[in-house]
Amino acid sequence: MRIGVVTFPGSLDDGDAARAARIAGAEAVRLWHGDPDLHGVDAVVLPGGFSYGDYLRCGAIARFAPVMESIIDAARGGLPVLGICNGFQVLCEAHLLPGALTRNQHLHFRNRDQWLKVEATNTAWTNGFTPGQEILIPVKNGEGCFVADPATLDKLEAEGRVIARYVRGNPNGSQRDIAGITNEAGNVVGIMPHPEHAVEALTGPSLDGLGFFTSVLRALAGAAAGGQLAGGQQ
């Protein structure tokens, strides 16, 4: 299976995301922001970092990159897409996910190992976890506070689209402790903490982040065998 990892000007964690994909057993394919060709990948990761220097608003410029036009179309057709940190911001700017990521409520950058509780496990990127499982992965952001209007928040809750919440402390003030969400189809996931930094015992606080990458391989294998991607996509 081939997982594409996008590099924007200012991307920081694209190399880490590619490494995580390889550790999970996938072929990592580097995708360039200015090239709309997705090179036949089976899934895409929008990595963390500071695309276009976070000018205007985090993710606001990256959303209009040529590669994003292709990703938006493919995601609407069922392609699994994972947005990590800045990638989550890009997905919201592209309207593939609702809500927005704003300045941390305390106005400080947070960089620490963070406990999460996994909630939705019926997505392409979380099917390898169990509901209620607590995982430890790093968080590092200055604009990681997830916000949405009350009706949107209620809809996310009612439809089971909150994939993970912060536990043992909320690092950025996100509403309802939301750390990650999914779209209605379950193929697009955005998460503010960094699973790609928790895939090796040498460098991470755990191996818990690897589950996001092995989950999508499992979903793709099931689809190739004639089933459905987690979340209901053919």
Side-chain angles (χ1 to χ4, degrees):
M1 300 296 179
R2 292 159 50 87
I3 297 181
V5 179
V6 178
T7 297
F8 298 104
S11 288
L12 175 66
D13 297 314
D14 47 337
D16 297 76
R19 181 173 177 79
R22 289 193 296 269
I23 292 172
E27 176 187 352
V29 179
R30 306 305 289 266
L31 302 177
W32 186 242
H33 69 103
D35 183 359
D37 189 351
L38 299 184
H39 300 283
V41 298
D42 302 296
V44 166
V45 176
L46 302 178
F50 307 93
S51 60
Y52 297 90
D54 282 349
Y55 287 108
L56 297 184
R57 190 173 59 247
C58 298
I61 299 177
R63 175 262 178 272
F64 292 102
V67 73
M68 281 304 301
E69 299 303 315
S70 301
I71 290 171
I72 290 168
D73 288 343
R76 288 173 176 160
L79 181 77
V81 179
L82 175 66
I84 302 170
C85 196
N86 186 230
F88 189 2
Q89 295 162 341
V90 174
L91 290 175
C92 291
E93 291 287 343
H95 305 296
L96 289 174
L97 292 175
L101 286 307
T102 63
R103 286 290 302 274
N104 293 350
Q105 281 192 346
H106 43 67
L107 305 181
H108 295 286
F109 190 91
R110 277 289 180 268
N111 183 2
R112 73 188 194 195
D113 297 332
Q114 176 66 47
W115 285 98
L116 308 176
K117 183 174 71 171
V118 178
E119 297 207 348
T121 59
N122 59 341
T123 80
W125 297 93
T126 59
N127 62 79
F129 297 103
T130 57
Q133 181 178 347
E134 291 193 3
I135 61 175
L136 180 65
I137 62 177
V139 65
K140 52 176 188 176
N141 61 71
E143 291 84 17
C145 180
F146 181 77
V147 298
D149 62 88
T152 297
L153 292 171
D154 289 343
K155 182 178 181 181
L156 289 171
E157 301 272 14
E159 295 179 354
R161 291 168 53 194
V162 176
I163 65 116
R165 296 183 202 269
Y166 299 111
V167 293
R168 310 186 199 184
N170 183 328
N172 47 41
S174 287
Q175 293 179 323
R176 304 192 190 182
D177 298 324
I178 291 174
I181 60 173
T182 186
N183 65 341
E184 292 180 359
N187 63 302
V188 178
V189 165
I191 186 165
M192 185 49 55
H194 287 261
E196 79 280 16
H197 295 329
V199 297
E200 293 181 290
L202 178 64
T203 57
S206 73
L207 303 181
D208 293 339
L210 194 59
F212 288 88
F213 298 90
T214 55
S215 285
V216 76
L217 295 182
R218 177 181 174 181
L220 291 168
Q228 291 183 324
L229 278 174
Q233 290 291 336
Q234 296 287 344

